[in-house]
Amino acid sequence: MDGNGRWAQLRGLPRYEGHKRGVEKVKEIIRAALRLKISVVTFYAFSIENWQRPKKEVEIIMELLENTLKKEKKNFISQGVRFKMIGNRYLMPENILSVIEETEQETSNCKELIAQFAISYSGRDEIIRAVKRLIKEGITPDIIDESLINSFLDTSGVAEPDLIIRTSGEQRLSNFLIWQSAYSEFYFTQTLWPDFTEDEFTEAILDFQKRQRRFGKVSEFTRAY
Ligand code: IPE
Ligand code: MG
């Protein structure tokens, strides 16, 4: 979800207004994902690198997060949305983490859609934490394989992304799900996140459906040599 700041600046508004509208777009895309029967959607809300932004902006984003979760919890439950955080919990302010964990617990039986929020997240940090934990647990090298690594990541038990959409014209991953995206398809759009719509989300999915995914193999329709 990129481009909130630019969206606001283009209108002579404080960056905060872009983040506020960004939240509305998260709600819109969750509704769309439910309608389209998508099973998992992950929003990159706040990276570990984002902690280095000016203190005031970080405070505003955290406050927005806290208020949104408090307000949306009942809607998550009624829509069947299971909320999950992926990211570094040690770096989170205690009061916000407790709201996050309460929302996770109270939506834990929701079955329609998993909505993962990457908060205080970076893919490299996730891998480092996983490695530390598996060493602490005394895992022997012989049994390490992809599924074992998967089980130590924050996304454990959740399907990896088929499609990654990045808004605002930037064409990079910026530490998002770097392990899990090994075979993801990418969709880049110039649209700033606060202008993103359900229609464009559907367009991205239709584009994805036209692609051929071979996962390193040859297509079954390719003639043998
Ligand atoms: C994305 O919008 C939201 C967060 C990273 C929290 P930005 O805040 O990165 O917006 P730009 O990139 O400055 O326009
Ligand atoms: Mg940005």
Side-chain angles (χ1 to χ4, degrees):
M1 304 186 281
D2 201 6
N4 293 354
R6 277 165 282 171
W7 182 90
Q9 271 154 0
L10 278 167
R11 287 160 179 77
L13 298 167
R15 293 174 59 84
Y16 164 73
E17 291 296 335
H19 296 315
K20 237 169 78 178
R21 187 168 153 120
V23 171
E24 294 309 309
K25 293 297 170 172
V26 172
K27 293 195 241 166
E28 181 177 336
I29 298 309
I30 287 179
R31 285 193 298 269
L34 284 163
R35 268 198 288 274
L36 294 167
K37 307 263 183 237
I38 287 169
S39 53
V40 187
V41 64
T42 306
F43 297 96
Y44 199 2
F46 193 82
S47 70
I48 287 202
E49 292 75 16
N50 288 153
W51 286 117
Q52 292 163 43
R53 289 193 179 193
K55 195 166 158 258
K56 191 74 206 155
E57 181 168 350
V58 171
E59 261 171 34
I60 284 171
I61 292 172
M62 287 297 139
E63 216 178 276
L64 202 54
L65 176 64
E66 184 182 2
N67 293 337
T68 304
L69 286 181
K70 282 181 177 163
K71 266 194 265 171
E72 289 305 308
K73 193 173 65 188
K74 59 179 188 312
N75 294 330
F76 286 160
I77 296 167
S78 68
Q79 297 177 108
V81 175
R82 177 167 189 184
F83 170 88
K84 278 188 165 186
M85 168 187 166
I86 57 170
N88 191 319
R89 295 177 190 235
Y90 307 108
L91 300 176
M92 291 298 291
E94 225 172 282
N95 60 321
I96 315 251
L97 187 61
S98 73
V99 176
I100 286 173
E101 293 186 339
E102 191 184 294
T103 313
E104 286 181 320
Q105 259 160 28
E106 292 187 31
T107 62
S108 63
N109 291 320
C110 294
K111 298 269 187 299
E112 294 300 316
L113 171 71
I114 294 174
Q116 286 187 132
F117 283 76
I119 302 163
S120 186
Y121 177 88
S122 104
R124 288 184 181 174
D125 174 76
E126 180 189 31
I127 292 168
I128 290 167
R129 284 185 286 106
V131 170
K132 283 185 179 168
R133 241 181 345 108
L134 68 86
I135 290 171
K136 265 193 201 143
E137 291 185 20
I139 302 289
T140 56
D142 295 350
I143 65 159
I144 296 178
D145 60 8
E146 287 192 13
S147 79
L148 184 117
I149 301 277
N150 276 327
S151 72
F152 277 84
L153 296 174
D154 297 347
T155 50
S156 170
V158 176
E160 52 194 47
D162 289 314
L163 173 65
I164 294 179
I165 300 171
R166 183 169 186 158
T167 57
S168 90
E170 313 296 353
Q171 301 192 12
R172 53 177 174 267
L173 208 43
S174 300
N175 234 333
F176 181 65
L177 298 179
I178 53 172
W179 166 278
Q180 299 89 336
S181 64
Y183 276 98
S184 300
E185 297 289 327
F186 288 84
Y187 183 90
F188 296 108
T189 171
Q190 293 293 325
T191 307
L192 302 175
W193 177 253
D195 286 329
F196 195 67
T197 57
E198 168 163 13
D199 279 353
E200 193 171 0
F201 184 56
T202 310
E203 221 172 275
I205 290 162
L206 289 172
D207 185 272
F208 163 81
Q209 287 177 335
K210 285 191 224 128
R211 302 184 193 182
Q212 195 192 44
R213 302 177 83 195
R214 292 184 294 276
F215 301 96
K217 302 170 206 154
V218 293
S219 158
E220 56 180 307
F221 303 112
T222 306
R223 219 163 355 126
Y225 285 101

